[in-house]
Amino acid sequence: MNKNTVLAWATWIMIIVGLILIGLGAFRYNDVAGWGFASVGIGFFSIAWVFNALKGRV
């Protein structure tokens, strides 16, 4: 596995974890903790976006 493959896998894993966290925030926790889970999920999306932008440059 080269660097681009590792970054691609990391991007997909971060997207999946972000979706799970947003799903937990939306459907499992209806109080303030749900907002925290959803915001952390959005943070995972932004990190995945950075990983995707780094492919081919590192």
Side-chain angles (χ1 to χ4, degrees), residues 13-15 17-18 21 39-49:
I13 291 170
M14 295 291 279
I15 288 172
V17 172
L21 286 171
S39 63
V40 170
I42 293 170
F44 269 74
F45 280 159
S46 63
I47 295 170
W49 180 39

Side-chain angles (χ1 to χ4, degrees), residues 6-28:
V6 171
L7 284 172
W9 276 103
T11 300
W12 282 110
I13 291 170
M14 295 291 279
I15 288 172
I16 291 169
V17 172
L19 286 173
I20 290 171
L21 286 171
I22 290 173
L24 278 173
F27 299 114
R28 176 73 169 102

